[in-house]
Coordinates of all heavy atoms in Angstrom, one line a residue:
M584 N 3.0 -6.1 -7.5 CA 3.0 -4.7 -7.0 C 2.1 -3.9 -7.8 O 2.0 -4.0 -9.0 CB 4.4 -4.2 -7.0 CG 4.5 -2.7 -6.5 SD 6.2 -2.1 -6.4 CE 6.4 -1.4 -8.0
L585 N 1.4 -3.0 -7.1 CA 0.5 -2.0 -7.8 C 1.3 -0.7 -7.6 O 1.5 -0.2 -6.5 CB -0.8 -2.0 -7.1 CG -1.8 -0.8 -7.5 CD1 -2.1 -0.9 -8.9 CD2 -3.0 -0.9 -6.6
H586 N 1.6 0.0 -8.7 CA 2.3 1.2 -8.7 C 1.4 2.3 -9.5 O 1.1 2.1 -10.6 CB 3.7 1.1 -9.5 CG 4.4 2.4 -9.6 ND1 5.7 2.4 -10.0 CD2 4.1 3.7 -9.4 CE1 6.1 3.7 -10.0 NE2 5.1 4.5 -9.6
L587 N 1.1 3.3 -8.8 CA 0.3 4.4 -9.3 C 1.2 5.7 -9.3 O 1.6 6.0 -8.2 CB -1.0 4.6 -8.6 CG -2.0 3.4 -8.6 CD1 -3.2 3.8 -7.8 CD2 -2.3 3.0 -10.0
G588 N 1.4 6.3 -10.4 CA 2.3 7.4 -10.5 C 1.5 8.7 -11.0 O 0.4 8.6 -11.3
P589 N 2.3 9.8 -11.1 CA 1.6 11.1 -11.4 C 1.1 11.3 -12.8 O 0.1 12.0 -13.0 CB 2.8 12.1 -11.1 CG 4.0 11.3 -11.3 CD 3.7 9.9 -10.9
R590 N 1.6 10.7 -13.8 CA 1.2 10.9 -15.1 C 0.5 9.7 -15.7 O 0.7 9.3 -16.9 CB 2.4 11.3 -16.0 CG 3.0 12.6 -15.6 CD 4.3 12.9 -16.4 NE 5.3 11.9 -16.1 CZ 6.0 11.8 -15.0 NH1 5.9 12.6 -14.0 NH2 6.9 10.8 -14.9
G591 N -0.4 9.1 -14.9 CA -1.1 7.9 -15.4 C -0.2 6.7 -15.5 O -0.5 5.7 -16.2
E592 N 1.0 6.7 -14.8 CA 1.9 5.5 -14.8 C 1.3 4.4 -13.9 O 1.2 4.6 -12.7 CB 3.3 5.9 -14.3 CG 3.9 7.0 -15.1 CD 5.1 7.7 -14.4 OE1 5.3 7.3 -13.2 OE2 5.7 8.5 -15.0
H593 N 0.9 3.3 -14.4 CA 0.3 2.3 -13.6 C 1.1 0.9 -14.0 O 1.2 0.6 -15.1 CB -1.2 2.1 -13.9 CG -1.9 3.4 -13.8 ND1 -2.0 4.0 -12.6 CD2 -2.6 4.1 -14.7 CE1 -2.8 5.1 -12.8 NE2 -3.1 5.2 -14.1
Q594 N 1.5 0.2 -13.0 CA 2.1 -1.1 -13.2 C 1.4 -2.1 -12.2 O 1.2 -1.8 -11.1 CB 3.6 -1.0 -12.8 CG 4.4 -0.1 -13.7 CD 5.8 0.0 -13.2 OE1 6.2 -0.7 -12.3 NE2 6.6 0.8 -13.9
L595 N 1.0 -3.2 -12.7 CA 0.4 -4.2 -11.9 C 1.1 -5.5 -12.0 O 1.4 -6.0 -13.1 CB -1.1 -4.5 -12.4 CG -2.0 -3.3 -12.4 CD1 -3.3 -3.7 -13.1 CD2 -2.3 -2.8 -11.0
F596 N 1.5 -6.1 -10.8 CA 2.2 -7.3 -10.7 C 1.6 -8.1 -9.6 O 1.3 -7.6 -8.5 CB 3.7 -7.1 -10.5 CG 4.4 -6.3 -11.5 CD1 4.6 -5.0 -11.2 CD2 4.8 -6.8 -12.7 CE1 5.2 -4.2 -12.1 CE2 5.4 -6.0 -13.6 CZ 5.6 -4.7 -13.4
A597 N 1.4 -9.4 -9.7 CA 1.0 -10.3 -8.6 C -0.3 -9.8 -8.0 O -0.4 -9.7 -6.8 CB 2.1 -10.4 -7.6
I598 N -1.3 -9.5 -8.8 CA -2.6 -9.0 -8.3 C -3.6 -10.1 -8.6 O -3.6 -10.7 -9.6 CB -3.0 -7.7 -9.1 CG1 -2.0 -6.6 -8.9 CG2 -4.4 -7.2 -8.6 CD1 -1.7 -6.1 -7.5
A599 N -4.5 -10.3 -7.6 CA -5.5 -11.4 -7.8 C -6.9 -10.8 -7.5 O -7.0 -10.0 -6.5 CB -5.2 -12.6 -6.9
L600 N -7.9 -11.1 -8.3 CA -9.2 -10.6 -8.1 C -10.0 -11.9 -7.7 O -10.0 -12.9 -8.4 CB -9.8 -10.0 -9.3 CG -9.2 -8.6 -9.6 CD1 -9.8 -8.1 -11.0 CD2 -9.6 -7.6 -8.5
D601 N -10.8 -11.8 -6.7 CA -11.7 -12.8 -6.3 C -13.1 -12.2 -6.0 O -13.3 -11.6 -5.0 CB -11.2 -13.6 -5.0 CG -12.1 -14.7 -4.6 OD1 -13.0 -15.1 -5.4 OD2 -11.9 -15.1 -3.4
G602 N -14.0 -12.3 -6.9 CA -15.2 -11.6 -6.8 C -15.0 -10.1 -6.9 O -14.4 -9.6 -7.9
D603 N -15.4 -9.4 -5.8 CA -15.2 -8.0 -5.8 C -14.0 -7.5 -5.0 O -13.8 -6.4 -4.7 CB -16.5 -7.3 -5.3 CG -17.6 -7.5 -6.2 OD1 -17.4 -7.5 -7.4 OD2 -18.8 -7.5 -5.7
R604 N -13.2 -8.5 -4.5 CA -12.1 -8.2 -3.6 C -10.7 -8.3 -4.3 O -10.5 -9.2 -5.1 CB -12.1 -9.1 -2.4 CG -11.2 -8.7 -1.3 CD -11.6 -9.5 0.0 NE -10.6 -9.4 1.0 CZ -10.7 -8.5 2.0 NH1 -11.7 -7.6 2.0 NH2 -9.8 -8.4 2.9
L605 N -9.9 -7.3 -4.1 CA -8.5 -7.2 -4.7 C -7.6 -7.8 -3.6 O -7.6 -7.4 -2.5 CB -8.2 -5.8 -5.1 CG -6.7 -5.6 -5.5 CD1 -6.4 -6.2 -6.8 CD2 -6.5 -4.1 -5.6
Y606 N -6.7 -8.6 -4.1 CA -5.6 -9.2 -3.2 C -4.2 -8.8 -3.8 O -4.0 -9.0 -4.9 CB -5.7 -10.7 -3.1 CG -7.0 -11.2 -2.5 CD1 -8.1 -11.5 -3.2 CD2 -7.0 -11.4 -1.1 CE1 -9.2 -11.9 -2.7 CE2 -8.2 -11.9 -0.5 CZ -9.3 -12.2 -1.3 OH -10.4 -12.6 -0.7
V607 N -3.4 -8.2 -2.9 CA -2.0 -7.9 -3.3 C -1.2 -8.7 -2.2 O -1.1 -8.3 -1.1 CB -1.7 -6.4 -3.2 CG1 -0.2 -6.2 -3.6 CG2 -2.6 -5.6 -4.1
I608 N -0.7 -9.9 -2.6 CA -0.1 -10.8 -1.7 C 1.2 -11.3 -2.1 O 1.5 -11.6 -3.3 CB -1.1 -12.0 -1.5 CG1 -2.4 -11.5 -1.0 CG2 -0.5 -13.0 -0.5 CD1 -3.5 -12.6 -1.0
D609 N 2.2 -11.4 -1.2 CA 3.5 -12.1 -1.4 C 4.3 -11.4 -2.5 O 4.8 -12.1 -3.4 CB 3.3 -13.6 -1.7 CG 2.7 -14.3 -0.5 OD1 3.0 -13.9 0.7 OD2 2.0 -15.3 -0.7
V610 N 4.4 -10.1 -2.4 CA 5.2 -9.3 -3.4 C 6.4 -8.7 -2.6 O 6.3 -8.3 -1.5 CB 4.3 -8.2 -4.0 CG1 5.1 -7.4 -5.0 CG2 3.1 -8.8 -4.7
A611 N 7.5 -8.6 -3.3 CA 8.7 -7.9 -2.7 C 9.1 -6.7 -3.6 O 9.2 -6.9 -4.8 CB 9.8 -8.9 -2.5
A612 N 9.4 -5.6 -3.0 CA 9.9 -4.4 -3.8 C 10.7 -3.5 -2.8 O 10.6 -3.7 -1.6 CB 8.7 -3.7 -4.4
R613 N 11.4 -2.6 -3.4 CA 12.2 -1.7 -2.6 C 11.4 -0.8 -1.7 O 11.5 -0.8 -0.5 CB 13.0 -0.8 -3.5 CG 14.0 0.1 -2.8 CD 14.9 0.8 -3.8 NE 15.6 1.9 -3.1 CZ 16.9 1.8 -2.8 NH1 17.6 0.7 -3.1 NH2 17.5 2.8 -2.2
E614 N 10.5 0.0 -2.2 CA 9.5 0.7 -1.4 C 8.1 0.3 -1.8 O 7.8 0.0 -3.0 CB 9.6 2.3 -1.7 CG 10.7 3.0 -0.9 CD 12.0 3.1 -1.7 OE1 11.9 2.9 -2.9 OE2 13.0 3.3 -1.1
G615 N 7.2 0.2 -0.8 CA 5.9 -0.3 -1.1 C 5.8 -1.7 -1.6 O 5.6 -1.8 -2.8
G616 N 6.2 -2.6 -0.8 CA 6.2 -4.0 -1.3 C 5.0 -4.4 -2.0 O 5.1 -5.0 -3.1
G617 N 3.8 -4.1 -1.5 CA 2.6 -4.4 -2.2 C 2.0 -3.3 -3.1 O 1.6 -3.5 -4.2
V618 N 2.0 -2.1 -2.6 CA 1.4 -1.0 -3.3 C 2.3 0.2 -3.1 O 2.8 0.6 -2.0 CB 0.0 -0.6 -2.7 CG1 -0.6 0.6 -3.4 CG2 -1.0 -1.8 -2.8
Y619 N 2.6 0.9 -4.2 CA 3.5 2.1 -4.3 C 2.6 3.2 -4.9 O 2.2 3.1 -6.1 CB 4.7 1.9 -5.0 CG 5.7 3.0 -5.1 CD1 6.7 3.2 -4.2 CD2 5.5 4.0 -6.1 CE1 7.6 4.2 -4.3 CE2 6.4 5.1 -6.1 CZ 7.4 5.2 -5.2 OH 8.2 6.3 -5.3
L620 N 2.4 4.3 -4.2 CA 1.7 5.5 -4.7 C 2.6 6.7 -4.7 O 3.3 7.0 -3.7 CB 0.5 5.8 -3.8 CG -0.5 4.6 -3.6 CD1 -1.5 5.0 -2.6 CD2 -1.2 4.2 -4.9
E621 N 2.6 7.4 -5.8 CA 3.5 8.6 -5.9 C 2.7 9.7 -6.6 O 2.2 9.5 -7.7 CB 4.7 8.3 -6.7 CG 5.7 9.5 -6.9 CD 6.9 9.1 -7.6 OE1 7.1 8.0 -8.1 OE2 7.7 10.0 -7.8
S622 N 2.5 10.8 -5.9 CA 1.9 12.0 -6.5 C 0.5 11.7 -7.1 O 0.3 12.1 -8.3 CB 2.8 12.7 -7.5 OG 4.1 13.0 -6.9
C623 N -0.3 11.1 -6.4 CA -1.7 10.8 -6.9 C -2.7 10.7 -5.8 O -2.3 10.7 -4.6 CB -1.6 9.5 -7.7 SG -1.3 8.0 -6.7
D624 N -3.9 10.7 -6.1 CA -5.0 10.5 -5.2 C -5.5 9.1 -5.5 O -5.7 8.7 -6.6 CB -6.2 11.5 -5.4 CG -5.7 12.9 -5.1 OD1 -4.9 13.1 -4.2 OD2 -6.3 13.9 -5.7
A625 N -5.7 8.3 -4.4 CA -6.1 6.9 -4.6 C -7.1 6.5 -3.5 O -7.1 7.0 -2.4 CB -4.9 6.0 -4.5
E626 N -8.0 5.6 -3.9 CA -8.9 5.0 -3.0 C -8.8 3.5 -3.2 O -8.9 3.0 -4.3 CB -10.3 5.4 -3.2 CG -11.3 4.9 -2.2 CD -12.7 5.5 -2.4 OE1 -13.3 5.3 -3.6 OE2 -13.2 6.0 -1.5
I627 N -8.5 2.8 -2.1 CA -8.4 1.3 -2.2 C -9.6 0.8 -1.4 O -9.7 1.1 -0.2 CB -7.1 0.8 -1.6 CG1 -5.9 1.4 -2.3 CG2 -7.0 -0.7 -1.6 CD1 -4.5 1.1 -1.7
V628 N -10.4 0.0 -2.1 CA -11.7 -0.5 -1.5 C -11.7 -2.0 -1.6 O -11.3 -2.6 -2.6 CB -12.9 0.1 -2.2 CG1 -14.2 -0.3 -1.7 CG2 -12.8 1.6 -2.2
D629 N -12.3 -2.7 -0.5 CA -12.5 -4.1 -0.4 C -11.3 -4.9 -0.9 O -11.3 -5.7 -1.8 CB -13.7 -4.5 -1.3 CG -15.0 -3.9 -0.8 OD1 -15.1 -3.8 0.4 OD2 -15.9 -3.6 -1.6
S630 N -10.1 -4.6 -0.2 CA -8.9 -5.2 -0.6 C -8.1 -5.8 0.5 O -8.4 -5.5 1.7 CB -8.0 -4.2 -1.4 OG -8.7 -3.7 -2.5
L631 N -7.2 -6.7 0.2 CA -6.2 -7.2 1.2 C -4.8 -7.0 0.7 O -4.5 -7.4 -0.5 CB -6.5 -8.7 1.4 CG -5.4 -9.5 2.2 CD1 -5.4 -9.0 3.6 CD2 -5.6 -11.0 2.1
I632 N -4.0 -6.4 1.5 CA -2.6 -6.2 1.2 C -1.8 -6.9 2.3 O -1.8 -6.5 3.4 CB -2.2 -4.7 1.2 CG1 -3.1 -3.9 0.2 CG2 -0.8 -4.4 1.0 CD1 -3.0 -2.4 0.3
G633 N -1.3 -8.1 1.9 CA -0.7 -9.0 2.9 C 0.4 -9.8 2.4 O 0.5 -10.2 1.3
G634 N 1.4 -10.1 3.4 CA 2.5 -11.0 3.1 C 3.5 -10.3 2.2 O 4.3 -11.1 1.5
N635 N 3.6 -9.0 2.1 CA 4.5 -8.4 1.2 C 5.7 -7.9 1.9 O 5.7 -7.8 3.1 CB 3.8 -7.1 0.5 CG 2.6 -7.5 -0.2 OD1 2.6 -8.2 -1.2 ND2 1.4 -7.2 0.3
Q636 N 6.8 -7.6 1.2 CA 8.1 -7.2 1.8 C 8.6 -6.0 1.0 O 8.6 -5.9 -0.2 CB 9.1 -8.3 1.7 CG 8.7 -9.5 2.4 CD 9.7 -10.6 2.2 OE1 10.7 -10.5 1.5 NE2 9.4 -11.8 2.8
G637 N 9.2 -5.0 1.8 CA 9.8 -3.8 1.2 C 10.8 -3.3 2.1 O 10.8 -3.6 3.3
R638 N 11.7 -2.4 1.6 CA 12.7 -1.8 2.5 C 12.0 -0.8 3.4 O 12.2 -0.7 4.5 CB 13.7 -1.1 1.6 CG 14.9 -0.5 2.3 CD 16.0 0.0 1.3 NE 15.5 1.2 0.6 CZ 15.7 2.4 1.0 NH1 16.3 2.7 2.1 NH2 15.2 3.4 0.3
I639 N 11.1 0.0 2.8 CA 10.2 1.0 3.5 C 8.8 0.8 3.0 O 8.5 0.7 1.8 CB 10.7 2.4 3.1 CG1 12.1 2.7 3.5 CG2 9.7 3.4 3.8 CD1 12.7 4.0 3.1
G640 N 7.9 0.6 4.0 CA 6.5 0.4 3.6 C 6.3 -1.0 3.0 O 6.1 -1.2 1.8
G641 N 6.4 -2.0 3.9 CA 6.3 -3.4 3.4 C 5.0 -3.7 2.7 O 5.0 -4.4 1.7
G642 N 3.9 -3.2 3.2 CA 2.6 -3.4 2.5 C 2.3 -2.3 1.5 O 1.9 -2.5 0.4
L643 N 2.5 -1.0 2.0 CA 2.1 0.1 1.2 C 3.0 1.3 1.4 O 3.3 1.6 2.6 CB 0.6 0.5 1.5 CG 0.0 1.6 0.7 CD1 -1.5 1.3 0.5 CD2 0.1 2.9 1.4
F644 N 3.4 2.0 0.4 CA 4.2 3.2 0.5 C 3.5 4.3 -0.3 O 3.1 4.1 -1.4 CB 5.6 3.0 0.0 CG 6.5 4.2 0.0 CD1 7.1 4.6 1.2 CD2 6.6 5.0 -1.1 CE1 7.9 5.7 1.2 CE2 7.4 6.2 -1.1 CZ 8.0 6.5 0.0
A645 N 3.2 5.4 0.3 CA 2.6 6.6 -0.4 C 3.4 7.8 -0.2 O 3.7 8.2 0.9 CB 1.2 6.8 0.2
S646 N 3.8 8.4 -1.3 CA 4.6 9.7 -1.3 C 3.8 10.8 -2.0 O 3.4 10.5 -3.2 CB 6.0 9.5 -1.9 OG 6.7 10.7 -2.0
S647 N 3.6 11.9 -1.4 CA 2.9 13.0 -2.0 C 1.6 12.6 -2.6 O 1.2 13.0 -3.6 CB 3.8 13.7 -3.1 OG 5.1 14.1 -2.5
S648 N 0.9 11.7 -1.9 CA -0.4 11.2 -2.3 C -1.4 11.3 -1.2 O -1.1 11.3 -0.1 CB -0.2 9.7 -2.7 OG 0.7 9.6 -3.8
N649 N -2.7 11.4 -1.6 CA -3.8 11.4 -0.7 C -4.4 10.0 -0.9 O -4.8 9.6 -2.0 CB -4.8 12.5 -1.0 CG -4.2 13.8 -0.7 OD1 -3.5 14.0 0.3 ND2 -4.4 14.8 -1.7
L650 N -4.6 9.3 0.2 CA -5.1 7.9 0.2 C -6.2 7.7 1.1 O -6.1 8.1 2.3 CB -3.9 6.9 0.5 CG -4.3 5.5 0.7 CD1 -4.8 4.9 -0.6 CD2 -3.0 4.7 1.1
T651 N -7.2 7.0 0.6 CA -8.3 6.6 1.5 C -8.4 5.0 1.3 O -8.4 4.5 0.2 CB -9.7 7.2 1.0 OG1 -9.6 8.6 1.2 CG2 -10.8 6.7 1.8
M652 N -8.6 4.3 2.4 CA -8.8 2.9 2.4 C -10.1 2.6 3.0 O -10.4 3.0 4.1 CB -7.6 2.1 3.0 CG -6.3 2.3 2.3 SD -5.0 1.2 2.8 CE -5.0 1.2 4.5
L653 N -10.9 1.8 2.3 CA -12.3 1.4 2.8 C -12.4 -0.1 2.8 O -12.2 -0.7 1.7 CB -13.3 2.1 2.0 CG -14.8 1.8 2.3 CD1 -15.2 2.2 3.7 CD2 -15.7 2.5 1.3
R654 N -12.8 -0.7 3.9 CA -12.9 -2.1 4.0 C -11.7 -2.9 3.4 O -11.8 -3.8 2.7 CB -14.2 -2.6 3.3 CG -15.5 -2.0 3.9 CD -16.7 -2.6 3.3 NE -16.8 -2.4 1.8 CZ -17.2 -1.3 1.2 NH1 -17.6 -0.2 1.9 NH2 -17.2 -1.2 -0.1
T655 N -10.5 -2.4 3.8 CA -9.2 -2.9 3.3 C -8.4 -3.3 4.5 O -8.2 -2.5 5.4 CB -8.5 -1.9 2.4 OG1 -9.3 -1.7 1.2 CG2 -7.1 -2.3 2.0
D656 N -7.8 -4.4 4.5 CA -6.9 -4.9 5.5 C -5.4 -4.9 5.0 O -5.2 -5.4 3.9 CB -7.3 -6.3 6.0 CG -8.6 -6.3 6.6 OD1 -9.0 -5.3 7.3 OD2 -9.3 -7.4 6.5
V657 N -4.5 -4.4 5.9 CA -3.1 -4.5 5.6 C -2.5 -5.3 6.7 O -2.3 -4.9 7.9 CB -2.5 -3.0 5.6 CG1 -1.0 -3.1 5.3 CG2 -3.2 -2.2 4.6
V658 N -2.2 -6.6 6.4 CA -1.8 -7.5 7.5 C -0.6 -8.4 7.0 O -0.4 -8.7 5.9 CB -2.9 -8.5 7.9 CG1 -4.0 -7.7 8.5 CG2 -3.5 -9.2 6.7
G659 N 0.3 -8.7 8.0 CA 1.4 -9.6 7.8 C 2.4 -9.2 6.8 O 3.0 -10.0 6.1
N660 N 2.7 -7.9 6.7 CA 3.8 -7.4 5.8 C 5.0 -7.1 6.6 O 5.0 -6.9 7.8 CB 3.3 -6.1 5.2 CG 2.0 -6.3 4.3 OD1 2.1 -6.9 3.3 ND2 0.9 -5.9 4.9
D661 N 6.2 -7.0 5.9 CA 7.5 -6.8 6.6 C 8.2 -5.7 5.8 O 8.2 -5.7 4.6 CB 8.3 -8.1 6.5 CG 7.8 -9.2 7.4 OD1 7.8 -9.0 8.6 OD2 7.3 -10.2 6.8
A662 N 8.9 -4.8 6.6 CA 9.8 -3.8 6.1 C 11.1 -3.9 6.8 O 11.2 -4.1 8.0 CB 9.2 -2.4 6.3
V663 N 12.2 -3.7 6.0 CA 13.5 -3.8 6.5 C 13.8 -2.6 7.4 O 14.5 -2.8 8.5 CB 14.6 -3.8 5.4 CG1 16.0 -3.8 5.9 CG2 14.3 -5.1 4.5
L664 N 13.4 -1.4 7.1 CA 13.7 -0.2 7.9 C 12.5 0.3 8.7 O 12.6 0.4 9.9 CB 14.2 0.9 6.9 CG 15.5 0.6 6.2 CD1 15.9 1.7 5.3 CD2 16.6 0.3 7.2
R665 N 11.4 0.7 8.0 CA 10.3 1.3 8.7 C 9.0 1.1 7.9 O 9.0 0.9 6.7 CB 10.5 2.8 9.0 CG 10.6 3.6 7.8 CD 10.8 5.1 8.1 NE 10.7 5.9 7.0 CZ 11.7 6.3 6.2 NH1 12.9 5.8 6.4 NH2 11.5 7.1 5.1
G666 N 7.9 1.2 8.7 CA 6.6 1.1 8.1 C 6.2 -0.3 7.6 O 6.0 -0.5 6.4
G667 N 6.2 -1.2 8.5 CA 5.9 -2.6 8.2 C 4.7 -2.8 7.4 O 4.6 -3.5 6.4
G668 N 3.6 -2.1 7.8 CA 2.3 -2.2 7.1 C 2.2 -1.0 6.1 O 1.9 -1.2 4.9
V669 N 2.3 0.2 6.6 CA 2.1 1.4 5.8 C 3.1 2.5 6.1 O 3.4 2.7 7.3 CB 0.7 2.0 6.0 CG1 0.5 3.3 5.3 CG2 -0.4 1.0 5.7
E670 N 3.7 3.1 5.1 CA 4.6 4.2 5.3 C 4.1 5.4 4.4 O 3.9 5.1 3.2 CB 6.0 3.8 4.9 CG 7.0 5.0 4.9 CD 7.4 5.4 6.4 OE1 7.1 4.7 7.3 OE2 7.9 6.5 6.5
V671 N 3.9 6.5 4.9 CA 3.5 7.7 4.1 C 4.5 8.8 4.4 O 5.0 9.0 5.4 CB 2.0 8.2 4.5 CG1 1.0 7.1 4.1 CG2 1.9 8.5 6.0
E672 N 4.7 9.6 3.3 CA 5.6 10.7 3.3 C 5.1 11.9 2.5 O 4.4 11.6 1.5 CB 7.0 10.4 2.7 CG 7.8 9.3 3.4 CD 9.1 8.9 2.8 OE1 9.3 9.4 1.6 OE2 9.9 8.2 3.4
N673 N 5.3 13.1 3.0 CA 4.9 14.3 2.2 C 3.5 14.3 1.8 O 3.1 14.6 0.7 CB 5.8 14.4 1.0 CG 7.3 14.4 1.3 OD1 7.7 15.0 2.3 ND2 8.0 13.7 0.5
V674 N 2.6 14.0 2.7 CA 1.1 14.0 2.4 C 0.5 15.3 3.0 O 0.9 15.8 4.1 CB 0.4 12.8 2.9 CG1 0.9 11.6 2.2 CG2 0.6 12.6 4.4
S675 N -0.5 15.8 2.3 CA -1.2 17.0 2.7 C -2.4 16.7 3.6 O -2.8 17.4 4.5 CB -1.6 17.9 1.6 OG -2.5 17.2 0.7
E676 N -2.9 15.5 3.4 CA -4.1 15.0 4.2 C -3.7 13.7 4.9 O -2.9 12.9 4.3 CB -5.3 14.7 3.3 CG -5.8 15.9 2.5 CD -6.5 16.9 3.4 OE1 -7.1 16.5 4.4 OE2 -6.4 18.1 3.1
P677 N -4.2 13.5 6.1 CA -3.8 12.2 6.8 C -4.4 11.0 6.1 O -5.5 11.1 5.4 CB -4.4 12.4 8.2 CG -5.4 13.5 8.1 CD -5.0 14.4 6.9
L678 N -3.8 9.9 6.2 CA -4.3 8.6 5.7 C -5.7 8.3 6.3 O -5.8 8.5 7.5 CB -3.3 7.5 6.0 CG -3.8 6.1 5.7 CD1 -4.0 5.9 4.2 CD2 -2.7 5.1 6.3
S679 N -6.6 8.0 5.5 CA -8.0 7.7 6.0 C -8.2 6.2 5.9 O -8.1 5.6 4.8 CB -9.0 8.5 5.2 OG -10.3 8.0 5.6
I680 N -8.5 5.5 7.0 CA -8.8 4.1 7.0 C -10.1 3.9 7.6 O -10.3 4.2 8.8 CB -7.7 3.2 7.7 CG1 -6.3 3.4 7.1 CG2 -8.1 1.8 7.7 CD1 -5.2 2.8 7.9
R681 N -11.1 3.3 6.9 CA -12.5 3.1 7.4 C -12.8 1.6 7.2 O -12.7 1.1 6.2 CB -13.5 4.0 6.7 CG -13.2 5.5 6.9 CD -14.4 6.3 6.3 NE -14.7 6.0 5.0 CZ -14.4 6.7 3.9 NH1 -13.7 7.8 4.0 NH2 -14.8 6.3 2.7
N682 N -13.3 1.0 8.3 CA -13.7 -0.4 8.3 C -12.7 -1.3 7.8 O -13.0 -2.2 7.0 CB -15.0 -0.5 7.5 CG -16.2 0.3 8.1 OD1 -16.3 0.4 9.3 ND2 -17.0 0.9 7.3
G683 N -11.4 -1.1 8.2 CA -10.3 -2.0 7.8 C -9.3 -2.1 9.0 O -9.5 -1.4 10.0
A684 N -8.3 -2.9 8.8 CA -7.4 -3.1 9.9 C -5.9 -3.0 9.3 O -5.7 -3.4 8.2 CB -7.6 -4.5 10.5
V685 N -5.0 -2.5 10.1 CA -3.6 -2.6 9.9 C -3.1 -3.3 11.1 O -3.0 -2.8 12.2 CB -3.0 -1.2 9.7 CG1 -1.5 -1.2 9.5 CG2 -3.7 -0.4 8.6
A686 N -2.6 -4.6 10.9 CA -2.3 -5.4 12.0 C -1.2 -6.4 11.6 O -1.1 -6.8 10.4 CB -3.5 -6.1 12.5
E687 N -0.5 -6.9 12.6 CA 0.5 -7.9 12.5 C 1.6 -7.7 11.4 O 2.0 -8.6 10.7 CB -0.2 -9.3 12.3 CG -1.1 -9.7 13.4 CD -1.9 -10.9 13.1 OE1 -1.5 -11.7 12.2 OE2 -2.9 -11.2 13.8
N688 N 1.9 -6.4 11.2 CA 3.0 -6.1 10.3 C 4.3 -5.9 11.1 O 4.2 -5.6 12.3 CB 2.6 -4.8 9.6 CG 1.4 -4.9 8.8 OD1 1.3 -5.6 7.8 ND2 0.3 -4.3 9.3
R689 N 5.5 -6.0 10.5 CA 6.7 -6.0 11.2 C 7.7 -5.1 10.6 O 7.9 -5.1 9.3 CB 7.3 -7.4 11.3 CG 6.5 -8.3 12.2 CD 6.8 -9.8 11.9 NE 6.5 -10.3 10.6 CZ 5.3 -10.6 10.1 NH1 4.3 -10.6 10.9 NH2 5.2 -11.1 8.9
A690 N 8.4 -4.3 11.4 CA 9.5 -3.4 11.0 C 10.3 -2.9 12.2 O 9.7 -2.8 13.3 CB 9.0 -2.2 10.2
P691 N 11.6 -2.6 12.1 CA 12.3 -2.1 13.3 C 11.7 -0.8 13.8 O 11.8 -0.5 14.9 CB 13.7 -1.9 12.7 CG 13.9 -2.8 11.6 CD 12.5 -2.9 11.0
D692 N 11.2 0.0 12.9 CA 10.6 1.3 13.2 C 9.2 1.4 12.6 O 9.1 1.5 11.4 CB 11.5 2.4 12.7 CG 11.1 3.8 13.1 OD1 10.3 4.0 14.1 OD2 11.5 4.8 12.5
G693 N 8.2 1.6 13.4 CA 6.8 1.8 12.9 C 6.2 0.6 12.2 O 6.0 0.6 11.0
A694 N 6.0 -0.5 12.9 CA 5.4 -1.7 12.3 C 3.9 -1.4 11.9 O 3.4 -1.9 11.0 CB 5.4 -2.8 13.3

């Protein structure tokens, strides 16, 4: 899991680099199975967030954060409640996704 917090709190688990591409794959967590963002600005570039599981935001969960994703795919993630691929809360700017896909994610509410 990749966790970015407000005071420079960063935690990295199950992250793989292949050339210039970041992979966050097959991780399970309560919120944001693959990536959890809290009160920060983030840009995710040339990455794959896939096969992760979470209660909310199976692939990615962002709270009070501004997020841009460029050439990043969020695929094949599962959430128990909502946001199979991506779940965002309390954001001032809409999530920006350019040249990437959010697909084949599963959740009872908001896959």
Side-chain angles (χ1 to χ4, degrees):
M584 177 173 88
L585 171 62
H586 176 169
L587 300 177
R590 293 172 302 282
E592 302 164 357
H593 308 296
Q594 299 175 1
L595 300 174
F596 303 98
I598 304 296
L600 291 172
D601 180 15
D603 294 329
R604 192 164 168 95
L605 171 69
Y606 295 89
V607 181
I608 302 171
D609 297 328
V610 180
R613 185 175 168 103
E614 278 93 16
V618 177
Y619 181 93
L620 304 172
E621 181 181 0
S622 302
C623 66
D624 294 331
E626 184 175 56
I627 301 173
V628 180
D629 293 327
S630 301
L631 171 65
I632 301 169
N635 303 292
Q636 299 175 0
R638 189 174 67 88
I639 300 172
L643 181 146
F644 177 84
S646 176
S647 303
S648 297
N649 295 316
L650 173 62
T651 299
M652 294 193 314
L653 176 61
R654 297 183 307 274
T655 294
D656 297 327
V657 181
V658 295
N660 299 285
D661 293 289
V663 174
L664 297 177
R665 65 180 188 269
V669 176
E670 176 72 18
V671 294
E672 296 179 350
N673 306 318
V674 295
S675 59
E676 299 290 326
L678 170 66
S679 173
I680 302 172
R681 296 188 313 255
N682 298 322
V685 178
E687 300 178 15
N688 301 289
R689 294 163 297 279
D692 184 20

